[in-house]
Amino acid sequence: MKTIIFKTASTYLLPLLVLFSVFILLRGHYLPGGGFVGGLIASIAFVIHSFANGLEQTKSLIKFHPGFLMPIGLCIALLSGAAPLLVGQSFMTGLWFEDPLPVIGMVGSALFFDTGVYLVVIGVTLTIIFTISETL
Amino acid sequence: MELLLVILIGLLYASGIFMMLRRSMVKLIIGLILLGNGANMLIFLLGRIVKGKPPLIESSAKMLTEIYADPVPQALILTAIVISFGLQSFAIILVKRAYKITDTDDLDELNTTDEIYE
Amino acid sequence: MIIAILSGFIAAALIPLLSKIIKGKGSILLPFLPLSLFVYFASYLPKIGKGEKLNFVYEWVPSFGINLSFHLDGLSMLFALLITGIGTLVFFYTYSYLKGHVYLDRFYGYLSMFMASMLGLVLSDNIITLFIFWELTSISSFFLIGFNNDDPKSRKSALLALSITGMGGLFLLAGMLLLGTAGGSYSFQELLANGSLIQEHASYGWIILLVFLGAFTKSAQFPFHFWLPGAMKAPTPVSTYLHSATMVKAGIYILARFTPLLGGTTEWNTTLIIVGAVTMVYAAIHSIFRMDMKSILAYSTISALGILVFLIGLGTEESLLAAGVFILVHALYKATLFLITGIVDHETSTRDVTVLGGLRKVMMPVAIAAGLAALSNAGAPPFFGFIGKDLIYEATLHFGDWAYLLTGAAILTNICLLFAGLLAGYKPFVGNLPAEFSKVHLPHPTMWVPPLILAALGLIFGLFPVLIEKNLIQPVFSSLTNNDTVIHLKLWHGFNVVLGLSMLTLTLGVLLYWKLKPSEALFGKTLKFELFSPQTIALLFGRLFSGFAKFWTGFFQNGYLRNYVITILGFLTILLGYRLYQGVNFYVDTAKLTELTIYEVIVVLIMIVSIIFTVFSRSRLVAVASLGVIGYSICLIFLFYSAPDLAMTQFSIDTLTVILFVLVIYNLPKYKTFSKRRIRVRDGILSLFFGTLIAILTLEVLAEPLNRETSIFYAESAYILAKGKNVVNVILVDFRGLDTIVEITVLVIAAIGVFSLLKLRLKSIEKE
């Protein structure tokens, strides 16, 4: 699989796809998309990169084990759910900032929740695929 | 279209079950995936299918008013798809490990727990 | 109050944390827990004596109307004092008895837990709470009997006790539920107000039957008595506390408690009289042939419990009074005798009465306590036991037609009990001291003081019954009979028939003691009857039961995955097929169907072809590739029918699944065909049949009108409540966010599973 064309393409594809996945994540609340799809697309990006350049390269690119994304993502999701408790509302009530931010749009606890999902999905997928391709 | 989908669902279920009844471990997993797909389609169809009306609220509107595709089965299936990926990868690895330890992929030879360590 | 009850549980929870301190000197602090509880309850004595009844209600889940309600009246008071009082002594006793034991902390933990559950049991007003505490006592008893868990006999006895009492507990639960339904309330006080309603209720017979089964199993009544002698495998403090003084009396408590509510009918009285009489005579006769001090005491305890059931069954005011008094009498002397057995066992390492003798020379205070207890047990004046026995005879004598028979049974029982008491409390201490026991010495005071206190109380209450008459016995009597007749306990009634009977009992008992010497030969003879005993029969049933269970499990759980699948599907197919056979009423409204386009037909055709390829291909690669095609086609269908989110997800997942398969495919086993052609055809028919069923069912469901309430709610409030316009996403991250959290947790678990399956160190056998 390590042809030069594929290799070169994947180098450019990786940032593009990751960027696209973030875009999908952010627009998820208004248009098709969201944390699950976003996370899956980002994982596919990394998997393609690892196919083209070898697993070691991809790993050194990410710098840390993707498994760490799982607890981080879970914590973000849980905290965004627990945040309303601080202002005296019940668990998982949606909180929103008054004004929309540029580019991202309206920011609320649901967005953080979706980000948590996004990170968990990346962590899970990459952990599974990397572990398998390492040991087999 | 509904009738075609009904036939398709029946076929997915039948093939999934048939594969699960085989003795080869790999076929078992393939059967599992087919069955999962069948179940997803079933839920999708039972929520009634609508063409070209995704459950998205128009940028000017505040709520969905006219006929639209049912969002609830869609949310259900979305989670089911992602979960089934986790399940499948786990099952594949489990089969691979079991194959390595027991040196057989015949499910009929895996009917006791005791003999493995002999 | 709630703190008083729960303190035992709290202590039980804390003890493991403080195990270092408990195992050292700290354990001497623990007895102060029951002691302070004893003082606490005793402080209510004057109030109770005035005839007051105290209610304590704590709102637990007020929105559901579930309250923790406790009720303190005479009967509860008597039991609470017994539990905490004897508890205190037993806690002190244990301090020396199990000194330096590795699991001393565990022991105290179980003991505290038991004490708390028992207190809860006797104080509960709600009959469901009562049941919960009842089960807790069974469980703590199980732990304590099996305390020496490296001894298989211990474990077996514990299991036997748990299965018998646990089974009874289930009956009790059923009885309580029926009672609650019949009486319209789960509060005992409220039920009591509706007493007549329940007695006339259609299920009254069932209620008393179930309550009886619960009480009889717990209180070791014939034919459920056989778990109790086995329970003596527990360390002696446990036998003292649980299996003679308190827990086994829980059944008696229930019967006594429910007497004003359910009692007074012929069914109630007759059953109790017969069961009680059979138990007391049967166990009393058994007790005189034993040689092990503990066995003697175990059977005499069963017999005493029989007397109590019998007295409650008589149901007259006299007999209920006798029952109330006898509970206290028995607890005092039997606990003493058990504690003494423990001391003897601890110091001489034997409990065989044929070997023991002359111990008074080395442990005088113990001998005094034993003598006092044996005399109280014998019903000799001026002991409290004398008062108890007088009341029993009085009750039986005044019971109309059957007076002679019942009195006779009572006399026979008492003679045997007297003999058993002498055997355990007198014999080991008189005569010559065998040489091997000459080095035996008096144990630590915490061991011999408790029995002495209990024995002395037996004498003091006998001499001055007025001490407890007004504050304790009177309220007990009132709560048993539900009326306020004033009672008097007297030692001396003048020369009458009752006194004559007492004397007769004493004489005959002592005579028997001189005549009958327990020996191996005699004991062996009684064993022959064991063949027909309830224990043998019950164990036989147990074996049959487990044999059948093994066969049944072996038949269905045969380890062949295919057979499981076939069984489940076959059953489902039969069930659904029957339903369809009954008549299906589906009707396809072709006008409502969405129209067909050529693209869709092509997609579906592609899918059908790939399904066929997946199933029949002989190569793994082809199968996986067609599986991928199926996935992408489904993705297209989602896209056609307005589910863009699904299409995106399905597309990415499918890509990943194919990647996954490609990665592992060459490490997976070869794609082989194992089954014979015949089996393949059979499976094919079964699965096609099932697929058809599913299809027909789907059509039938499609014909039903759809309830869209949920989706309409989501569709209308997605933007207003959650500020999102992609309704599917809003459902996932907002409305059903908790489900999503759980889902991603499951994903994480799957990933960890894969990681650990592959990365964790291989076991040695795999390295080969």
Side-chain angles (χ1 to χ4, degrees):
Chain A
M1 293 260 259
K2 291 182 186 172
T3 61
I4 292 181
I5 299 176
F6 190 41
K7 229 171 158 175
T8 323
S10 75
T11 326
Y12 292 103
L13 260 174
L14 176 67
L16 266 177
L17 275 177
V18 172
L19 212 65
F20 178 63
S21 77
V22 174
F23 164 70
I24 290 280
L25 159 74
L26 290 181
R27 69 174 215 154
H29 222 54
Y30 301 95
L31 293 163
F36 281 112
V37 190
L40 289 170
I41 292 175
S43 333
I44 292 178
F46 285 109
V47 170
I48 289 177
H49 188 263
S50 79
F51 270 22
N53 301 302
L55 191 61
E56 289 314 310
Q57 285 260 302
T58 320
K59 275 181 128 182
S60 63
L61 198 73
I62 308 179
K63 301 242 172 29
F64 57 92
H65 194 284
F68 287 109
L69 287 174
M70 300 192 288
I72 296 172
L74 266 183
C75 285
I76 292 179
L78 272 176
L79 284 180
S80 76
L85 293 177
L86 294 180
V87 274
Q89 282 177 311
S90 61
F91 188 61
M92 303 267 341
T93 316
L95 287 183
W96 294 89
F97 288 108
E98 295 283 321
D99 303 308
L101 289 179
V103 187
I104 301 177
M106 293 290 285
V107 173
S109 60
L111 184 63
F112 287 101
F113 187 88
D114 228 8
T115 315
V117 174
Y118 174 83
L119 292 178
V120 171
V121 170
I122 297 183
V124 167
T125 324
L126 289 188
T127 307
I128 291 176
I129 295 207
F130 282 5
T131 324
I132 290 175
S133 42
E134 259 169 37
T135 36
L136 294 176
Chain B
M1 187 62 190
E2 274 91 343
L3 292 177
L4 266 185
L5 284 184
V6 164
I7 295 168
L8 198 64
I9 290 168
L11 208 58
L12 279 172
Y13 266 90
S15 56
I17 301 271
F18 182 76
M19 293 303 266
M20 282 176 85
L21 289 174
R22 308 273 55 80
R23 274 158 73 180
S24 153
M25 286 200 266
V26 187
K27 289 189 179 174
L28 173 71
I29 294 176
I30 290 179
L32 213 62
I33 296 175
L34 283 172
L35 206 63
N37 278 334
N40 284 347
M41 291 302 290
L42 181 67
I43 299 174
F44 190 60
L45 180 60
L46 291 188
R48 303 298 189 273
I49 46 175
V50 180
K51 228 179 218 179
K53 296 268 198 270
L56 300 171
I57 301 173
E58 297 280 320
S59 51
S60 54
K62 288 216 160 185
M63 57 175 76
L64 282 176
T65 41
E66 47 182 324
I67 302 171
Y68 52 87
D70 198 337
V72 178
Q74 291 197 16
L76 272 175
I77 298 169
L78 204 146
T79 40
I81 295 174
V82 182
I83 283 277
S84 66
F85 173 71
L87 178 77
Q88 283 158 22
S89 46
F90 186 75
I92 291 174
I93 299 308
L94 199 63
V95 163
K96 196 220 127 210
R97 277 294 283 239
Y99 176 55
K100 211 169 172 186
I101 296 176
T102 58
D103 222 16
T104 175
D105 67 328
D106 185 353
L107 286 168
D108 278 13
E109 285 176 23
L110 292 177
N111 63 346
T112 54
T113 46
D114 310 330
E115 291 159 22
I116 292 171
Y117 288 98
E118 275 173 11
Chain C
M1 179 60 104
I2 195 162
I3 294 172
I5 292 168
L6 294 183
S7 62
F9 290 123
I10 297 166
L14 286 179
I15 282 170
L17 302 177
L18 306 171
S19 69
K20 278 255 168 60
I21 308 168
I22 307 282
K23 280 181 193 161
K25 292 271 173 204
S27 60
I28 194 71
L29 292 174
L30 282 172
F32 290 97
L33 170 70
L35 185 63
S36 48
L37 288 175
F38 181 76
V39 173
Y40 170 78
F41 283 111
S43 71
Y44 283 107
L45 266 178
K47 273 192 181 174
I48 295 291
K50 278 182 209 143
E52 284 181 36
K53 289 177 181 177
L54 304 163
N55 282 307
F56 304 83
V57 180
Y58 297 90
E59 291 193 337
W60 190 1
V61 192
S63 52
F64 286 106
I66 299 174
N67 295 331
L68 272 180
S69 54
F70 296 107
H71 176 74
L72 186 64
D73 65 352
L75 187 64
S76 310
M77 182 57 131
L78 172 66
F79 272 95
L81 289 181
L82 279 179
I83 294 161
T84 50
I86 295 185
T88 310
L89 299 176
V90 166
F91 270 61
F92 271 117
Y93 185 85
T94 307
Y95 169 73
S96 313
Y97 187 81
L98 287 180
K99 194 167 196 169
H101 195 285
V102 205
Y103 295 128
L104 184 64
D105 49 341
R106 217 182 264 185
F107 189 80
Y108 270 120
Y110 295 150
L111 221 52
S112 313
M113 179 172 124
F114 166 73
M115 186 183 67
S117 348
M118 193 69 203
L119 274 178
L121 168 64
V122 299
L123 293 168
S124 287
D125 180 48
N126 185 304
I127 54 177
I128 299 297
T129 342
L130 182 142
F131 163 76
I132 293 172
F133 285 117
W134 173 282
E135 289 293 72
L136 278 173
T137 60
S138 293
I139 292 169
S140 31
S141 150
F142 168 72
F143 284 135
L144 285 165
I145 297 172
F147 180 64
N148 293 319
N149 51 19
D150 42 6
D151 176 11
K153 272 189 189 164
S154 229
R155 294 200 300 265
K156 209 175 157 194
S157 304
L159 214 57
L160 184 68
L162 183 70
S163 34
I164 300 288
T165 51
M167 182 185 75
L170 289 182
F171 287 123
L172 185 73
L173 174 64
M176 294 292 119
L177 291 176
L178 264 183
L179 183 62
T181 324
S185 163
Y186 287 104
S187 157
F188 184 77
Q189 300 302 312
E190 286 170 27
L191 284 171
L192 200 56
N194 301 341
S196 55
L197 195 79
I198 293 161
Q199 297 211 349
E200 285 155 16
H201 197 271
S203 48
Y204 171 73
W206 285 107
I207 296 175
I208 59 168
L209 178 71
L210 292 165
V211 170
F212 281 163
L213 283 171
F216 291 165
T217 47
K218 191 84 161 185
S219 285
Q221 294 300 296
F222 188 87
F224 306 112
H225 63 278
F226 50 85
W227 68 267
L228 190 57
M232 296 299 159
K233 292 280 180 300
T236 307
V238 178
S239 311
T240 315
Y241 194 28
L242 273 74
H243 305 126
S244 105
T246 57
M247 187 191 90
V248 287
K249 293 215 177 85
I252 307 294
Y253 170 80
I254 288 278
L255 293 177
R257 177 55 84 202
F258 284 108
T259 298
L261 181 62
L262 301 171
T265 58
T266 331
E267 300 99 305
W268 174 273
N269 290 352
T270 323
T271 320
L272 288 183
I273 291 176
I274 293 174
V275 172
V278 169
T279 310
M280 71 188 190
V281 176
Y282 175 90
I285 293 176
H286 255 282
S287 71
I288 62 177
F289 295 111
R290 307 277 143 173
M291 293 176 301
D292 178 3
M293 285 170 82
K294 256 188 161 179
S295 290
I296 297 169
L297 292 176
Y299 276 101
S300 75
T301 304
I302 297 175
S303 177
L305 295 169
I307 296 179
L308 284 169
V309 171
F310 172 74
L311 286 173
I312 293 172
L314 292 179
T316 57
E317 290 194 355
E318 278 167 334
S319 70
L320 291 174
L321 174 63
V325 172
F326 192 64
I327 290 175
L328 184 58
V329 171
H330 177 256
L332 290 178
Y333 76 70
K334 194 50 68 61
T336 316
L337 289 176
F338 265 114
L339 290 176
I340 285 164
T341 307
I343 297 176
V344 170
D345 191 16
H346 196 252
E347 300 304 319
T348 66
S349 311
T350 178
R351 298 193 303 247
D352 189 342
V353 284
T354 55
V355 180
L356 291 165
L359 288 174
R360 71 174 187 291
K361 289 173 184 160
V362 283
M363 35 173 87
M364 198 57 198
V366 181
I368 293 174
L372 291 176
L375 285 171
S376 183
N377 168 44
F383 287 89
F384 196 38
F386 178 73
I387 299 182
K389 193 165 296 174
D390 263 11
L391 287 168
I392 295 172
Y393 288 152
E394 230 166 84
T396 55
L397 275 177
H398 296 165
F399 195 74
D401 301 340
W402 296 88
Y404 290 110
L405 183 65
L406 298 180
T407 314
I411 293 176
L412 179 61
T413 310
N414 273 325
I415 292 173
C416 295
L417 285 186
L418 196 158
F419 175 82
L422 289 177
L423 216 52
Y426 181 67
K427 171 110 199 338
F429 298 96
V430 294
N432 295 321
L433 186 69
E436 72 245 51
F437 297 146
S438 56
K439 293 231 175 80
V440 169
H441 55 85
L442 196 63
H444 191 269
T446 47
M447 271 178 91
W448 60 260
V449 171
L452 203 58
I453 293 176
L454 287 172
L457 282 177
L459 180 61
I460 293 168
F461 290 159
L463 287 172
F464 311 106
V466 70
L467 281 177
I468 48 170
E469 181 185 277
K470 188 172 170 302
N471 282 349
L472 193 56
I473 303 299
Q474 174 75 53
V476 171
F477 177 72
S478 309
S479 44
L480 282 178
T481 56
N482 216 7
N483 71 31
D484 296 326
T485 323
V486 178
I487 51 127
H488 289 292
L489 296 178
K490 277 183 295 187
L491 196 59
W492 184 247
H493 288 271
F495 293 100
N496 54 15
V497 188
V498 175
L499 183 70
L501 290 176
S502 278
M503 288 307 133
L504 179 74
T505 315
L506 264 177
T507 334
L508 286 177
V510 175
L511 257 179
L512 186 67
Y513 177 71
W514 289 119
K515 273 281 174 206
L516 185 75
K517 295 287 173 220
S519 66
E520 284 288 352
L522 259 176
F523 181 56
K525 274 182 198 161
T526 59
L527 281 184
K528 284 184 186 154
F529 294 98
E530 287 290 297
L531 204 59
F532 305 102
S533 74
Q535 170 158 24
T536 325
I537 294 164
L539 290 181
L540 184 71
F541 264 99
R543 268 198 297 280
L544 281 177
F545 209 68
S546 63
F548 178 71
K550 233 176 237 165
F551 160 76
W552 193 251
T553 320
F555 182 71
F556 277 110
Q557 311 291 322
N558 47 22
Y560 291 98
L561 181 73
R562 291 180 298 143
N563 291 359
Y564 297 160
V565 177
I566 288 178
T567 314
I568 294 168
L569 288 183
F571 185 72
L572 206 65
T573 313
I574 291 170
L575 211 66
L576 291 179
Y578 178 72
R579 167 78 186 77
L580 291 182
Y581 175 75
Q582 291 260 304
V584 201
N585 187 20
F586 66 85
Y587 147 81
V588 185
D589 187 356
T590 34
K592 275 191 183 168
L593 295 183
T594 34
E595 54 192 296
L596 218 55
T597 59
I598 186 74
Y599 314 110
E600 291 157 7
V601 177
I602 292 173
V603 168
V604 172
L605 282 181
I606 291 177
M607 273 182 83
I608 292 174
V609 172
S610 352
I611 291 174
I612 293 170
F613 262 104
T614 318
V615 174
F616 294 106
S617 137
R618 286 181 181 278
S619 132
R620 290 170 293 183
L621 207 58
V622 175
V624 169
S626 355
L627 208 58
V629 174
I630 295 175
Y632 289 126
S633 316
I634 290 179
C635 164
L636 281 178
I637 292 177
F638 284 149
L639 203 59
F640 289 151
Y641 290 98
S642 11
D645 283 292
L646 288 188
M648 285 160 80
T649 318
Q650 176 79 33
F651 180 81
S652 345
I653 285 286
D654 216 54
T655 313
L656 283 170
T657 312
V658 172
I659 290 176
L660 195 70
F661 260 113
V662 170
L663 277 175
V664 291
I665 199 147
Y666 289 106
N667 287 286
L668 282 175
K670 283 255 160 50
Y671 215 55
K672 276 179 288 195
T673 310
F674 290 107
S675 333
K676 296 199 182 73
R677 196 182 166 77
R678 198 167 49 82
I679 293 181
R680 286 212 304 276
V681 171
R682 181 202 66 183
D683 292 348
I685 291 171
L686 179 74
S687 34
L688 272 180
F689 195 65
F690 189 74
T692 320
L693 268 181
I694 290 284
I696 294 175
L697 272 181
T698 318
L699 275 180
E700 201 181 351
V701 176
L702 279 177
E704 297 285 323
L706 185 65
N707 181 356
R708 282 191 177 250
E709 210 177 307
T710 338
S711 17
I712 288 172
F713 166 78
Y714 286 136
E716 283 178 354
S717 35
Y719 187 70
I720 296 165
L721 289 179
K723 307 201 183 200
K725 294 202 163 176
N726 176 358
V727 184
V728 177
N729 186 272
V730 169
I731 293 178
L732 284 177
V733 300
D734 202 313
F735 289 124
R736 310 295 310 170
L738 208 58
D739 297 350
T740 311
I741 287 200
V742 177
E743 191 206 338
I744 53 180
T745 317
V746 172
L747 278 180
V748 170
I749 293 170
I752 294 173
V754 170
F755 186 77
S756 46
L757 269 179
L758 288 176
K759 282 285 173 96
L760 291 194
R761 204 156 43 87
L762 300 181
K763 288 232 170 73
S764 54
I765 74 151
E766 291 170 57
K767 287 181 186 155
E768 293 157 11

